[in-house]
Amino acid sequence: MRPFFILFLKELRAFFLSPLAYVVMALFMFMNGWFLARFVEALRVQASQHSLLYLMFEPGWFWMGYFFLFPLLTMRLFAEERKLGTLETLFTAPVRTSQVVLGKYFATLTLYLIVLAPVILYFLLFQAITGETAAFTPGSLLGTTLALVLIGMFNTAIGCFASSLTSNQLIAAMLAFVGVLIHYFLGFLQYFGAGTSSLLAEKLSYFSTVEHMRAYSDGLIDSRPIVYYVSFSAVILVLTHHVLEHRKWKV
Amino acid sequence: MIEVNKLTKRYPGRTAIDQISFEVGKGEIVGFLGPNGAGKSTTLRILTCYLSATSGSAKVAGHDIFRESIEVRRRVGYMPESVPLYTDMRVSEYILFRARLKGLRGQDVKRNSEEVMDVCGLKEVGRSMIGTLSKGFRQRVGLADALINKPDLLILDEPTSGLDPNQIRQVRDLITQLGEKHTILISTHILPEVEMTCGRVIIIDGGHIKASDTPQNLVRRLRASGNVRVELQAPPDKARDALKRLPGVKDAVLLETRQDWYTLEVTTESNTDVREDIHALVLRRKWPLRELYRKAASLEDAFVNLTQTPTAD
């Protein structure tokens, strides 16, 4: 357990000692702050039956920036170690590959939560400042937060995996970006050719981040997405583990 | 300390090491020599559990490298060939991180870090970023890392490559000093260094072990058919015939002529030193002699001899 914490802290420190974390955080905060301000403005001008949460997370605005987050946060994890050759010093120290993978994964996940926190804080701030009680219910905010944590777990795992495949950070970032996006759009497939097979559409809806988000932001905490994201994150981390172990057997 | 038994590593299309077996005893300093691509780094990487062998087994510090890899890694200090380091960390920060990662706790972390930084002469650069360090300092950081948890065995892959002669001397002194307490397996190209520091040499070529002996024995074996050079003033034909007639001499050839001085090379049978006989000969004939020496074979000759002879296959 101890190597895990040492690696976890080392990764987290590395993030905050490099300018990347600050740039990503600042841009993400700015972008979402601006979006939120626009939606508040829109609600002021014209009444809507939707809550502020729905407006923030239902259209594509938020997600555009959101999916850039993961490649940026995960690209260096293993790719940099490969490039520097430090994978060799890392794995000749008495640490298990699983400890390395989990240490890096949870450090990135923590960073993701730190980056995400302001977005959730915006809503609380908005409520505190305006005193509006009806903007959204506590349940829907909780649900939204939980959904974002779950989706983040999954996407961070994808990023970890992508980074373990290559020594080039740019390639790792591209792979992560594509992986994350493909998963996101998988959920939209149900809207295409929905008439052909409703069974397929139903199956695809299980993968749909959009659907999950919709339910959770209504405050409906469904257990299926929890199982889905947690188990798939685990599977992808196991794959990452295998990629790193693979070096032993090949070149 | 190390027992290697028929270790084989195959890469797609080529065999890096082929059924090698050797042993390294406790307290030994062993030089691991071989041309580039001979399988040195592969062997060291397998012993440090970075790679797995295709077949065969090895024990390091009493533990199987495959089944008890964590135990092995706890007891080995390894410095890889290119000394990979995190360039964006400070030296002291890196050493502390490695100390903790290798399982040191509490007081030991700080104490050992300060000790190795002292031993490796890193005190003055403790606050520097590793990325800004010169090659020599990086090498020392790598060495400090290898030493941090006081391992039983040190495995150093070309610790002096890319260093200037002064730094090489420093590292060599450091290794000799470390050899008093640790078992060391060191791979290198620099042969005089091996002759000075290592008690035993293992020469590997093309994935096979070609020799495993003390540097002195390797050289002695090569010296078996030693050559003697003579520079004298005499009719060259007569001199050659006279030299050939000496007991133990196989052949004598004229190498060069400088005015009326002639240099001849005398090939002798194994383990015979004909220098005294030659001396007696020239005294008898009253030939002026101005040079007589036996070419001392070096470890370099032994190395070239062992790794360049075409193998039977």
Side-chain angles (χ1 to χ4, degrees):
Chain A
M1 233 10 213
R2 210 165 157 269
F4 165 79
F5 285 113
I6 293 160
L7 289 164
F8 173 83
L9 288 175
K10 188 236 159 203
E11 281 306 317
L12 213 54
R13 265 171 71 91
F15 277 124
F16 285 104
L17 290 176
S18 83
L20 184 75
Y22 300 99
V23 173
V24 170
M25 257 193 292
L27 288 178
F28 195 68
M29 273 173 81
F30 171 76
M31 204 165 59
N32 289 306
W34 188 72
F35 288 158
L36 191 75
R38 299 321 303 159
F39 292 131
V40 170
E41 180 69 15
L43 278 182
R44 194 181 64 82
V45 172
Q46 195 182 13
S48 162
Q49 55 171 338
H50 297 302
S51 74
L52 188 58
L53 276 169
Y54 181 90
L55 286 178
M56 183 72 178
F57 296 111
E58 179 63 19
W61 301 99
F62 171 78
W63 302 101
M64 261 180 6
Y66 182 75
F67 287 128
F68 277 103
L69 211 54
F70 298 101
L72 287 174
L73 296 184
T74 57
M75 62 183 186
R76 43 171 290 285
L77 287 182
F78 295 103
E80 192 184 33
E81 302 249 10
R82 248 184 228 278
K83 188 106 192 172
L84 289 174
T86 45
L87 222 48
E88 194 167 347
T89 43
L90 186 58
F91 286 124
T92 50
V95 293
R96 292 180 197 287
T97 307
S98 55
Q99 291 167 332
V100 174
V101 172
L102 291 178
K104 283 181 184 276
Y105 173 73
F106 280 106
T108 318
L109 194 64
T110 307
L111 186 71
Y112 160 77
L113 295 178
I114 293 171
V115 174
L116 190 70
V119 180
I120 304 303
L121 275 178
Y122 288 156
F123 290 98
L124 296 175
L125 270 179
F126 174 78
Q127 209 144 18
I129 291 168
T130 59
E132 296 279 343
T133 46
F136 49 82
T137 61
S140 60
L141 185 64
L142 191 72
T144 306
T145 312
L146 185 60
L148 286 173
V149 171
L150 289 172
I151 298 165
M153 282 174 74
F154 177 82
N155 289 336
T156 306
I158 298 248
C160 267
F161 179 64
S163 185
S164 72
L165 293 172
T166 168
S167 62
N168 186 323
Q169 292 195 32
L170 262 183
I171 293 176
M174 290 299 288
L175 286 175
F177 189 63
V178 169
V180 161
L181 271 193
I182 283 181
H183 173 258
Y184 182 66
F185 284 115
L186 214 57
F188 285 105
L189 279 181
Q190 56 171 320
Y191 304 124
F192 301 106
T196 51
S197 162
S198 60
L199 187 71
L200 182 69
E202 192 203 319
K203 293 279 178 279
L204 279 172
S205 76
Y206 290 133
F207 296 100
S208 173
T209 302
V210 194
E211 294 273 325
H212 299 153
M213 196 64 196
R214 204 171 281 153
Y216 272 61
S217 65
D218 278 342
L220 181 68
I221 302 199
D222 185 352
S223 61
R224 282 174 302 177
I226 299 181
V227 174
Y228 172 71
Y229 286 116
V230 171
S231 59
F232 260 76
S233 305
V235 168
I236 294 165
L237 289 179
V238 168
L239 285 179
T240 312
H241 179 274
H242 283 306
V243 168
L244 293 169
E245 286 282 291
H246 182 61
R247 65 150 206 286
K248 284 192 172 180
W249 310 102
K250 225 192 122 202
V251 180
Chain B
M1 191 55 74
I2 306 179
E3 298 162 46
V4 177
N5 191 11
K6 292 187 177 165
L7 209 61
T8 301
K9 176 74 180 178
R10 275 190 213 100
Y11 291 128
R14 107 193 145 83
T15 304
I17 51 172
D18 193 7
Q19 303 221 351
I20 63 169
S21 303
F22 64 89
E23 270 180 38
V24 175
K26 196 170 165 57
E28 269 191 294
I29 305 185
V30 175
F32 202 49
L33 303 183
N36 284 322
K40 292 186 304 257
S41 291
T42 303
T43 311
L44 298 187
R45 282 177 165 178
I46 291 172
L47 290 179
T48 53
C49 310
Y50 184 66
L51 298 177
S52 295
T54 312
S55 67
S57 64
K59 270 188 173 183
V60 172
H63 296 272
D64 187 279
I65 52 162
F66 189 68
R67 283 185 206 89
E68 302 163 294
S69 105
I70 295 280
E71 291 300 311
V72 169
R73 285 185 262 170
R74 243 190 265 282
R75 288 165 177 78
V76 175
Y78 173 47
M79 183 168 123
E81 190 176 351
S82 52
V83 199
L85 300 165
Y86 298 111
T87 47
D88 53 2
M89 277 178 116
R90 293 183 196 282
V91 173
S92 53
E93 201 178 32
Y94 177 72
I95 297 294
L96 288 173
F97 162 67
R98 294 293 293 180
R100 291 196 188 96
L101 194 66
K102 290 184 176 182
L104 295 182
R105 283 159 187 269
Q107 293 282 307
D108 285 349
V109 176
K110 237 182 148 190
R111 198 180 329 115
N112 284 21
S113 301
E114 271 169 18
E115 211 177 298
V116 292
M117 284 180 66
D118 207 27
V119 169
C120 299
L122 288 169
K123 278 269 155 77
E124 48 185 306
V125 294
R127 301 262 316 142
S128 307
M129 298 291 270
I130 290 173
T132 64
L133 294 181
S134 67
K135 177 91 180 150
F137 271 116
R138 280 182 198 217
Q139 215 89 5
R140 288 195 228 171
V141 175
L143 204 55
D145 168 29
L147 289 170
I148 189 81
N149 58 340
K150 305 202 163 123
D152 301 333
L153 170 69
L154 277 176
I155 295 184
L156 310 172
D157 199 351
E158 299 194 14
T160 51
S161 72
L163 298 185
D164 70 37
N166 287 332
Q167 292 168 328
I168 289 178
R169 179 168 298 185
Q170 285 169 10
V171 172
R172 191 204 304 142
D173 291 346
L174 192 54
I175 289 170
T176 317
Q177 191 188 321
L178 292 171
E180 290 162 13
K181 282 188 241 161
H182 302 81
T183 308
I184 305 181
L185 181 62
I186 161 176
S187 107
T188 177
H189 288 305
I190 301 156
L191 297 157
E193 194 179 298
V194 177
E195 264 179 310
M196 270 179 268
T197 50
C198 300
R200 190 153 65 89
V201 177
I202 296 171
I203 296 181
I204 178 171
D205 184 31
H208 298 274
I209 290 187
K210 292 288 164 105
S212 168
D213 213 335
T214 62
Q216 293 76 19
N217 278 347
L218 284 174
V219 172
R220 197 174 301 143
R221 219 194 294 170
L222 190 75
R223 204 176 272 159
S225 59
N227 292 334
V228 176
R229 259 178 210 216
V230 198
E231 190 176 5
L232 42 64
Q233 225 172 24
D237 292 342
K238 267 191 187 171
R240 197 175 55 215
D241 292 342
L243 284 169
K244 270 190 188 172
R245 273 198 299 274
L246 288 175
V249 171
K250 275 207 265 185
D251 198 12
V253 279
L254 183 66
L255 281 186
E256 60 181 304
T257 312
R258 208 174 289 138
Q259 287 163 348
D260 41 2
W261 287 94
Y262 301 96
T263 307
L264 293 106
E265 187 165 74
V266 182
T267 316
T268 62
E269 273 160 20
S270 34
N271 294 323
T272 25
D273 194 346
V274 292
R275 284 176 294 183
E276 283 166 39
D277 295 342
I278 294 174
H279 177 234
L281 174 77
V282 295
L283 278 184
R284 221 164 41 236
R285 301 283 185 100
K286 297 208 170 61
W287 287 334
L289 173 81
R290 73 174 183 188
E291 190 172 293
L292 171 63
Y293 87 107
R294 184 159 107 157
K295 225 175 106 190
S298 64
L299 188 61
E300 191 171 319
D301 297 317
F303 178 80
V304 170
N305 189 282
L306 282 163
T307 58
Q308 276 192 346
T309 12
T311 42
D313 57 356

